[in-house]
Amino acid sequence: MWRLKIGEGGKDPYIYSTNNYLGRQTWEFDPNAGTPEERAEVQQARQNFYNNRNHVHASSDLIWQKQFLREKKFKQTIPQQKIEDGEEITYEATTAAVKRGVNLLSALQSKDGHWPAENGGNLYYLPPLVMTLYITGHLNTIFSAEHRKEILRYIYCHQNEDGGWGLYVGGHSTMFCTVLNYICMRLLGVGPDGGLNNACERGRKWILDRGGVTTIPSWGKTWLAILGVYEWSGCHPMPPEFWLFPSYFPIHPAKMFCHLRVTYMPMSYLYGKRFVGPITPLISQLRQELHIEPYDEIDWSKKLHLCAKEDLHYPHSSLQTLLWDCLYMVSEPLLNSWLFNKLREKALNVTMDHIHYEDESSRYITNGCVEKPLSMLACWVEDPNGIYFKKHLARITDYLWVGEDGMKMQSYGSQVWDASLLLQALLASNLYDEIGSTLLKGHNFLKNSQVRENPPGDFRRMFRHISKGSWTFSDRDHGWQISDCTAEALKCCMHFAMMPTEMVGERMEPEQCYDAVNIILSLQSDNGGSSAWEPVGGGIWWEWLNPVEFLEDLVKEYEHVECTSSSVQALVLFQKLYPEHRKNEIATFIRKATRFLEDIQNPDGSWYGNWGICFFYGTWFALLGLKAAGKTYKNCLAIRKGVDFLLKTQREDGGWGESYLSCPRKVYTPIEGNQSNLINTSQALMGLIIGDQAERDPTPLHRAAKLLINSQLPNGDFPQQGLAGVYMRNCMLHYALYRNTFPLWALAEYRKHVWPSKCI
């Protein structure tokens, strides 16, 4: 059986940690683990997912949950209650639902104090890692037979009925992900016509019916060129000389969006080297299987700008096409000539210095799952037997996750983010006496997960921002500061600082709080909004140069409603404990942020959510921020409009339901059919509570709460429905814990505001 291990570094001499691996999550296969009954239970969960995969696309994350609940001998002791039609919701029924959720989540807390969970669902994350291990000759040493079995299970579970694979589970088929997953199956030993339900044959047919792999987007072309089933002469140029640009240059790496920057560092290194993996018999077969014309007869220059219509979310502008053509026909031939070979050599060395810096700064986790295999491969190309590559190998397991739908690759873990939200949900329950130990462990996890130092050396020369005092999305070792993760974690620590130390432990040191405030203040733009990772840089015209056809708003940092709101809330709480610290700057920050939140509201009263689906998520955050800044339904038009949007979109069953299509379309799009989404419902319910709806007419709140209570499962869980997260407008993300966090939080807030006198 597969077992989840928490906070362990293992015996690998090439791995190290800044805080003894706190929050680290790794999976290990133990052939002797589990009773026959336990194994049968896991197998049943897998079969149930597969049978229902076309209706619920994301896993319920049952493998680790079953493990934890068995280990803790959890049994739900509070009877389940249902609210019948025509029956009023009572305080007792609501309290029972809240307590049931609290009991379950307390049992699911890890020994380190966080809550493990899948954060993934994207179908282009894992194949590049498999390709890198194949190229470097480490595929069979890193991935055992059990690894390969679970990776293939994941691929089979998420193949669409038309034979292709989407960008994310449940998404329409794309050339990018269909090609990558087809190749992944073949590298893992599946024959050209093999796989469950002829998975390979069906996938290949999908590819060939649409013109073959030459219509894959630019990132796909890069990976295929690296593997040897495509040629670099058919790829957009990625000259490593870019990293030599002076700081005054109109387009400078320091002002790029960090994920794009750290992705293109190793890409440009591999491009500059024109690196191609070994052409094995299997690679030669793939050349025949995936193209519609003989490989040796392909005119690669004519494939440069091709992109399948299924992948084309953000078409290249005419300006960008002209730029690519100029680089392709003029700059690259010149830079590769003997006259400039010293410049190319210098550029490659500088690029590699940046790659090593980023690797070391993140303890070889890197900034994310897209960057990880690229940086690892670049290190191997530089020195196949070098220590840098070995350090990369030691951190692969940080990304792997096992669910009932198989093994997948995480974005980079959401330990801090999920813990911060879930702890606030638990705090809202007011059940402190019953969950004191849970709160204590959660508090300690957050305190010890804070980043305690800036990136090493002259970090600004290496295009990095301050990180001391921040929290990351995952754990301290990751090292990358994020404004809303910092703000939400600081909010929790401020709440705990106002509670008895004998219950939740010692408060965080003032200097650590000050450092967190420094991070938050540093990420506000002139317009009042807060960015996520780094200060906003570059002009809006930079987006015209977006090289990635299936993602949007990727070239530069932007301000976000969520980051702005979280920052305001955190600073308001901070001021209650430290009213004199940077008092004027904080007041200015809050005033400007409030204006930003009001200015970006849509005409229908909603706010667009950048990291969640979508308008209910954004509206909830905006209302929280405005409320924290002192705004109310009575004195703020924006809050009144936001409440009106929520009331108008409530569905017949009392809930709310938003389609993921809202994200790419940027227009509120309801779910088709009658069913509501429980996460949307929870966020909308809390939004109405923030807008003082309980004081005017609580009927909409009662209807929503009834749906949540009646949807709770016997053990206190809530059913998994659709995906809840998104990034770069067009790529959905699975936050597995959201189905627990938000319904519990909403019911706790409902209980507190409808019966305030009973919840003291």
Side-chain angles (χ1 to χ4, degrees), residues 25-26 42-43 59 71 80 143-144 171 217 232 240 263 280 320 406 447 513 544 561 626 698 719 749 751 756:
Q25 308 170 145
T26 55
V42 170
Q43 193 56 38
S59 81
E71 291 172 350
Q80 186 174 14
F143 286 160
S144 67
W232 283 112
T263 295
T280 65
Q320 186 177 165
K447 285 190 296 184
C513 301
W544 302 345
V561 60
L626 292 172
E749 294 289 352
R751 172 176 172 264

Side-chain angles (χ1 to χ4, degrees), residues 113-128:
H114 77 291
W115 284 263
E118 177 184 346
N119 184 260
N122 285 181
L123 296 173
Y124 67 91
Y125 285 175
L126 186 55

Side-chain angles (χ1 to χ4, degrees), residues 614-651:
C614 169
F615 289 97
F616 297 131
Y617 185 77
T619 299
W620 171 63
F621 264 104
L623 293 174
L624 276 170
L626 292 172
K627 182 83 169 184
K631 301 292 184 178
T632 67
Y633 183 88
K634 293 180 179 178
N635 68 19
C636 180
L637 176 61
I639 290 182
R640 293 197 294 274
K641 289 172 63 179
V643 167
D644 186 55
F645 165 74
L646 296 176
L647 291 174
K648 286 180 177 178
T649 50
Q650 190 171 25
R651 297 161 82 94

Side-chain angles (χ1 to χ4, degrees), residues 455-494:
D458 187 358
F459 58 87
R460 297 196 186 279
R461 185 178 68 84
M462 305 307 283
F463 318 139
R464 290 293 297 270
H465 187 58
I466 60 171
S467 59
K468 183 182 180 181
S470 69
W471 277 269
T472 74
F473 193 61
S474 52
D475 57 25
R476 187 203 288 183
D477 282 345
H478 181 252
W480 272 89
Q481 71 287 340
I482 306 181
S483 63
D484 54 352
C485 296
T486 300
E488 294 296 336
L490 181 61
K491 282 169 59 182
C492 289
C493 291
M494 295 300 94

Side-chain angles (χ1 to χ4, degrees), residues 403-473:
E404 62 270 27
D405 57 343
M407 178 173 282
K408 68 287 303 257
M409 193 172 183
Q410 299 264 59
S411 63
Y412 44 24
S414 53
Q415 297 96 306
V416 164
W417 177 252
D418 279 328
S420 299
L421 296 184
L422 225 165
L423 284 168
Q424 291 178 74
L426 293 174
L427 287 169
S429 74
N430 282 345
L431 300 173
Y432 306 147
D433 293 338
E434 300 178 31
I435 55 171
S437 62
T438 301
L439 298 176
L440 174 62
K441 287 199 298 182
H443 187 200
N444 286 334
F445 171 73
L446 290 182
K447 285 190 296 184
N448 293 311
S449 294
Q450 188 184 29
V451 177
R452 302 293 176 84
E453 57 189 17
N454 288 320
D458 187 358
F459 58 87
R460 297 196 186 279
R461 185 178 68 84
M462 305 307 283
F463 318 139
R464 290 293 297 270
H465 187 58
I466 60 171
S467 59
K468 183 182 180 181
S470 69
W471 277 269
T472 74
F473 193 61

